[in-house]
Coordinates of all heavy atoms in Angstrom, one line a residue:
L170 N 0.9 5.3 19.9 CA -0.4 4.7 19.7 C -0.4 3.3 20.3 O -1.5 2.8 20.7 CB -0.7 4.7 18.2 CG -1.0 6.1 17.6 CD1 -1.3 6.0 16.1 CD2 -2.2 6.7 18.3
L171 N 0.7 2.6 20.3 CA 0.8 1.3 20.9 C 0.5 1.4 22.4 O -0.2 0.6 23.0 CB 2.1 0.6 20.6 CG 2.2 -0.8 21.0 CD1 1.2 -1.7 20.2 CD2 3.6 -1.3 20.7
D172 N 1.0 2.5 23.0 CA 0.7 2.8 24.4 C -0.7 3.1 24.6 O -1.4 2.7 25.6 CB 1.7 3.9 24.9 CG 1.5 4.1 26.4 OD1 2.1 3.2 27.2 OD2 0.9 5.1 26.9
N173 N -1.3 3.9 23.7 CA -2.7 4.3 23.7 C -3.6 3.1 23.6 O -4.7 3.2 24.2 CB -2.9 5.3 22.5 CG -4.4 5.4 22.2 OD1 -4.9 4.6 21.3 ND2 -5.1 6.4 22.8
A174 N -3.2 2.1 23.0 CA -4.0 0.9 22.9 C -4.5 0.3 24.2 O -5.6 -0.3 24.3 CB -3.3 -0.2 22.0
K175 N -3.7 0.5 25.3 CA -4.1 0.1 26.6 C -5.4 0.7 27.1 O -6.3 0.1 27.6 CB -3.0 0.3 27.6 CG -1.7 -0.4 27.3 CD -0.6 -0.1 28.4 CE -0.2 1.3 28.3 NZ 1.0 1.6 29.2
R176 N -5.5 2.0 26.8 CA -6.7 2.7 27.2 C -7.8 2.4 26.3 O -8.9 2.0 26.8 CB -6.5 4.3 27.1 CG -7.7 5.1 27.5 CD -7.7 6.5 27.0 NE -7.8 6.6 25.6 CZ -8.0 7.7 25.0 NH1 -8.1 8.9 25.6 NH2 -8.2 7.8 23.6
N177 N -7.6 2.4 25.0 CA -8.8 2.1 24.1 C -9.3 0.7 24.2 O -10.5 0.5 24.1 CB -8.4 2.5 22.7 CG -8.3 4.0 22.4 OD1 -8.2 4.7 23.3 ND2 -8.5 4.3 21.2
S178 N -8.4 -0.2 24.5 CA -8.9 -1.6 24.6 C -9.8 -1.7 25.9 O -10.7 -2.6 25.9 CB -7.7 -2.6 24.7 OG -6.9 -2.4 25.8
A179 N -9.5 -0.9 26.9 CA -10.3 -0.9 28.1 C -11.7 -0.4 27.8 O -12.6 -0.7 28.6 CB -9.6 -0.1 29.2
L180 N -11.9 0.3 26.8 CA -13.2 0.8 26.4 C -14.0 -0.2 25.6 O -15.2 0.0 25.4 CB -13.0 2.1 25.5 CG -12.1 3.2 25.9 CD1 -12.0 4.3 24.9 CD2 -12.7 3.8 27.2
G181 N -13.4 -1.3 25.3 CA -14.0 -2.3 24.5 C -13.6 -2.4 23.1 O -14.1 -3.2 22.3
E182 N -12.6 -1.6 22.7 CA -12.0 -1.7 21.3 C -11.1 -2.9 21.2 O -10.5 -3.3 22.2 CB -11.2 -0.4 21.0 CG -12.0 0.9 20.8 CD -11.2 2.0 20.1 OE1 -10.2 1.6 19.5 OE2 -11.6 3.1 20.2
D183 N -11.1 -3.5 20.0 CA -10.2 -4.5 19.7 C -9.2 -4.0 18.7 O -9.5 -3.6 17.6 CB -11.0 -5.7 19.0 CG -10.1 -6.9 18.8 OD1 -8.9 -6.8 19.0 OD2 -10.7 -8.0 18.6
I184 N -7.9 -3.8 19.2 CA -6.9 -3.1 18.5 C -5.8 -4.2 18.1 O -5.3 -4.9 19.0 CB -6.3 -2.0 19.3 CG1 -7.4 -1.0 19.6 CG2 -5.2 -1.3 18.5 CD1 -6.9 0.2 20.5
R185 N -5.4 -4.2 16.8 CA -4.4 -5.1 16.3 C -3.4 -4.3 15.5 O -3.6 -3.2 15.1 CB -5.0 -6.2 15.5 CG -6.1 -6.9 16.3 CD -6.7 -8.1 15.6 NE -7.7 -8.7 16.4 CZ -8.4 -9.9 16.1 NH1 -8.0 -10.6 15.0 NH2 -9.3 -10.4 16.8
N186 N -2.2 -4.9 15.4 CA -1.1 -4.3 14.7 C -0.6 -5.2 13.6 O -0.7 -6.4 13.7 CB 0.0 -3.9 15.6 CG -0.4 -2.8 16.6 OD1 -0.9 -3.1 17.6 ND2 -0.1 -1.6 16.2
L187 N 0.0 -4.6 12.6 CA 0.6 -5.3 11.4 C 1.8 -4.6 10.9 O 1.8 -3.4 10.7 CB -0.4 -5.4 10.3 CG -0.1 -6.2 9.1 CD1 0.2 -7.7 9.4 CD2 -1.2 -6.1 8.0
W188 N 2.9 -5.3 10.8 CA 4.1 -4.7 10.2 C 3.8 -4.2 8.8 O 3.2 -4.9 8.1 CB 5.3 -5.7 10.2 CG 5.9 -6.1 11.6 CD1 5.8 -7.3 12.2 CD2 6.6 -5.2 12.5 NE1 6.4 -7.3 13.4 CE2 6.9 -6.0 13.6 CE3 6.9 -3.9 12.5 CZ2 7.6 -5.5 14.7 CZ3 7.6 -3.3 13.5 CH2 7.9 -4.1 14.6
R189 N 4.4 -3.1 8.5 CA 4.1 -2.5 7.1 C 4.7 -3.5 6.1 O 4.1 -3.7 5.0 CB 4.8 -1.2 7.0 CG 4.3 -0.4 5.7 CD 4.9 0.9 5.6 NE 4.6 1.8 6.7 CZ 3.4 2.5 6.8 NH1 2.5 2.4 5.9 NH2 3.2 3.3 7.9
A190 N 5.8 -4.1 6.3 CA 6.4 -5.0 5.3 C 5.5 -6.2 5.1 O 5.4 -6.6 4.0 CB 7.8 -5.5 5.8
D191 N 4.9 -6.7 6.2 CA 3.9 -7.8 6.0 C 2.7 -7.3 5.3 O 2.2 -8.1 4.4 CB 3.6 -8.4 7.4 CG 4.7 -9.1 8.0 OD1 5.6 -9.6 7.3 OD2 4.7 -9.2 9.3
A192 N 2.2 -6.1 5.6 CA 1.1 -5.6 4.9 C 1.3 -5.5 3.4 O 0.4 -5.8 2.6 CB 0.7 -4.3 5.4
E193 N 2.5 -5.1 3.0 CA 2.8 -4.9 1.6 C 3.1 -6.3 0.9 O 2.7 -6.5 -0.3 CB 4.1 -4.0 1.4 CG 3.8 -2.6 1.9 CD 5.1 -1.7 1.9 OE1 6.2 -2.3 1.7 OE2 4.9 -0.5 2.1
R194 N 3.6 -7.2 1.7 CA 3.9 -8.5 1.1 C 2.6 -9.4 1.0 O 2.4 -10.1 0.0 CB 4.9 -9.3 2.0 CG 5.3 -10.7 1.6 CD 6.4 -11.2 2.4 NE 6.1 -11.2 3.8 CZ 5.4 -12.2 4.4 NH1 5.0 -13.2 3.8 NH2 5.2 -12.1 5.7
L195 N 1.8 -9.4 2.0 CA 0.7 -10.3 2.1 C -0.5 -9.7 1.3 O -1.3 -10.5 0.7 CB 0.3 -10.5 3.5 CG 1.3 -11.2 4.4 CD1 0.9 -11.2 5.9 CD2 1.4 -12.7 4.0
Y196 N -0.6 -8.4 1.3 CA -1.8 -7.8 0.6 C -1.4 -6.3 0.4 O -1.0 -5.7 1.4 CB -3.1 -7.9 1.5 CG -4.3 -7.5 0.7 CD1 -5.0 -8.5 -0.1 CD2 -4.8 -6.2 0.7 CE1 -6.1 -8.1 -0.8 CE2 -5.9 -5.9 0.0 CZ -6.6 -6.8 -0.7 OH -7.7 -6.5 -1.4
Q197 N -1.6 -5.8 -0.7 CA -1.2 -4.5 -1.0 C -2.3 -3.5 -0.5 O -3.2 -3.1 -1.2 CB -1.1 -4.3 -2.5 CG 0.1 -5.0 -3.1 CD 0.3 -4.8 -4.6 OE1 -0.6 -4.2 -5.3 NE2 1.4 -5.2 -5.1
L198 N -2.1 -3.2 0.8 CA -3.1 -2.3 1.4 C -2.9 -0.9 0.9 O -1.8 -0.5 0.6 CB -2.9 -2.3 2.9 CG -3.1 -3.6 3.7 CD1 -3.0 -3.4 5.2 CD2 -4.5 -4.2 3.3
P199 N -3.9 -0.1 0.7 CA -3.8 1.3 0.2 C -3.2 2.2 1.2 O -3.3 2.0 2.4 CB -5.3 1.6 -0.1 CG -6.0 0.9 0.9 CD -5.3 -0.4 1.1
A200 N -2.6 3.2 0.7 CA -2.0 4.3 1.6 C -3.1 5.2 2.0 O -3.0 6.4 1.8 CB -0.8 5.0 0.9
E201 N -4.1 4.7 2.6 CA -5.3 5.5 3.0 C -5.7 5.1 4.4 O -5.6 4.0 4.8 CB -6.5 5.2 2.1 CG -6.2 5.6 0.6 CD -7.4 5.1 -0.3 OE1 -7.9 4.0 0.0 OE2 -7.7 5.9 -1.2
D202 N -6.1 6.1 5.2 CA -6.7 5.9 6.5 C -8.2 6.0 6.3 O -8.7 6.9 5.7 CB -6.3 7.0 7.5 CG -5.0 6.6 8.2 OD1 -4.0 6.2 7.5 OD2 -4.9 6.7 9.4
F203 N -9.0 5.1 6.9 CA -10.4 5.2 6.8 C -11.1 4.4 7.9 O -10.5 3.6 8.6 CB -10.9 4.6 5.4 CG -10.7 3.1 5.3 CD1 -11.6 2.2 5.7 CD2 -9.5 2.6 4.7 CE1 -11.4 0.8 5.6 CE2 -9.3 1.2 4.5 CZ -10.3 0.3 5.0
W204 N -12.4 4.8 8.1 CA -13.3 4.1 9.0 C -14.3 3.5 8.1 O -14.8 4.1 7.1 CB -14.0 5.0 10.0 CG -13.2 5.4 11.2 CD1 -12.4 6.5 11.3 CD2 -13.1 4.7 12.4 NE1 -11.8 6.5 12.6 CE2 -12.2 5.4 13.3 CE3 -13.6 3.5 12.9 CZ2 -11.9 5.0 14.6 CZ3 -13.3 3.1 14.2 CH2 -12.5 3.8 15.0
L205 N -14.7 2.3 8.4 CA -15.8 1.5 7.7 C -16.9 1.3 8.8 O -16.6 0.6 9.8 CB -15.2 0.2 7.2 CG -16.2 -0.7 6.5 CD1 -16.8 -0.1 5.2 CD2 -15.5 -2.0 6.1
F206 N -18.1 1.8 8.5 CA -19.2 1.7 9.4 C -20.2 0.7 8.9 O -20.8 0.9 7.8 CB -19.8 3.0 9.7 CG -18.9 4.0 10.4 CD1 -18.2 4.9 9.7 CD2 -18.8 4.0 11.8 CE1 -17.3 5.8 10.3 CE2 -18.0 4.9 12.4 CZ -17.2 5.8 11.7
D207 N -20.5 -0.4 9.6 CA -21.5 -1.3 9.3 C -21.4 -1.9 7.9 O -22.4 -2.4 7.4 CB -22.9 -0.7 9.5 CG -23.2 -0.2 10.9 OD1 -22.8 -0.9 11.8 OD2 -24.0 0.8 11.1
S208 N -20.2 -2.0 7.4 CA -19.9 -2.5 6.0 C -20.9 -1.8 5.1 O -21.2 -2.4 4.0 CB -20.1 -4.0 6.0 OG -19.2 -4.7 6.8
R209 N -21.2 -0.5 5.3 CA -22.2 0.2 4.6 C -21.7 1.5 4.0 O -22.1 2.0 2.9 CB -23.5 0.4 5.4 CG -24.6 1.1 4.7 CD -25.8 1.2 5.6 NE -25.5 2.1 6.8 CZ -25.6 3.4 6.7 NH1 -26.0 4.0 5.6 NH2 -25.3 4.1 7.8
L210 N -20.9 2.2 4.8 CA -20.3 3.5 4.4 C -18.9 3.6 4.9 O -18.5 3.0 5.9 CB -21.2 4.6 4.8 CG -21.4 4.9 6.3 CD1 -20.3 5.7 6.9 CD2 -22.8 5.6 6.5
V211 N -18.1 4.3 4.1 CA -16.7 4.6 4.4 C -16.5 6.0 4.7 O -17.0 6.9 3.9 CB -15.8 4.1 3.2 CG1 -14.3 4.5 3.4 CG2 -16.0 2.7 2.9
A212 N -15.7 6.3 5.7 CA -15.3 7.7 6.0 C -13.8 7.7 5.7 O -13.0 7.2 6.5 CB -15.5 8.1 7.4
L213 N -13.4 8.3 4.6 CA -12.0 8.3 4.1 C -11.3 9.6 4.7 O -11.8 10.7 4.5 CB -11.9 8.4 2.6 CG -10.5 8.4 2.0 CD1 -9.8 7.1 2.3 CD2 -10.7 8.6 0.5
L214 N -10.3 9.4 5.5 CA -9.6 10.5 6.2 C -8.5 11.0 5.3 O -7.7 10.3 4.9 CB -9.1 10.0 7.6 CG -10.0 9.3 8.5 CD1 -9.4 9.0 9.8 CD2 -11.3 10.1 8.7
R215 N -8.6 12.3 5.0 CA -7.7 12.9 4.1 C -6.7 13.9 4.9 O -7.2 14.8 5.6 CB -8.4 13.6 3.0 CG -9.5 12.7 2.3 CD -9.9 13.1 1.0 NE -10.4 14.5 0.8 CZ -11.0 15.0 -0.3 NH1 -11.1 14.2 -1.3 NH2 -11.4 16.2 -0.3
F216 N -5.4 13.7 4.6 CA -4.4 14.4 5.4 C -3.6 15.3 4.4 O -3.5 15.0 3.2 CB -3.5 13.5 6.1 CG -4.1 12.7 7.2 CD1 -4.9 11.6 6.9 CD2 -4.0 13.1 8.5 CE1 -5.5 10.8 7.9 CE2 -4.6 12.4 9.5 CZ -5.4 11.2 9.2
D217 N -3.0 16.4 4.9 CA -2.1 17.2 4.1 C -0.7 16.6 4.3 O -0.4 15.6 4.9 CB -2.2 18.7 4.4 CG -1.8 19.0 5.9 OD1 -1.1 18.1 6.5 OD2 -2.1 20.1 6.4
D218 N 0.3 17.3 3.7 CA 1.7 16.9 3.7 C 2.3 17.0 5.1 O 3.4 16.4 5.3 CB 2.5 17.7 2.7 CG 2.1 17.4 1.2 OD1 1.5 16.3 1.0 OD2 2.4 18.2 0.4
D219 N 1.7 17.7 6.0 CA 2.2 17.8 7.3 C 1.4 16.9 8.3 O 1.5 17.0 9.5 CB 2.0 19.3 7.8 CG 2.8 19.5 9.1 OD1 3.9 19.0 9.2 OD2 2.2 20.3 10.0
D220 N 0.7 15.9 7.7 CA 0.0 14.9 8.5 C -1.1 15.4 9.4 O -1.5 14.9 10.4 CB 1.0 14.1 9.4 CG 2.1 13.4 8.6 OD1 1.7 12.6 7.7 OD2 3.3 13.6 8.8

Side-chain angles (χ1 to χ4, degrees):
L170 290 177
L171 192 60
D172 188 73
N173 161 269
K175 295 181 294 187
R176 180 198 71 170
N177 283 26
S178 65
L180 308 176
E182 289 193 21
D183 189 345
I184 302 177
R185 305 185 183 187
N186 292 87
L187 182 63
W188 291 114
R189 191 178 302 277
D191 289 337
E193 294 173 350
R194 176 174 57 86
L195 296 168
Y196 190 87
Q197 292 183 347
L198 299 184
E201 298 173 322
D202 274 47
F203 65 89
W204 281 95
L205 176 64
F206 294 94
D207 294 329
S208 299
R209 184 179 63 85
L210 61 86
V211 176
L213 182 63
L214 309 184
R215 307 201 306 188
F216 294 82
D217 63 17
D218 292 338
D219 193 37
D220 299 304

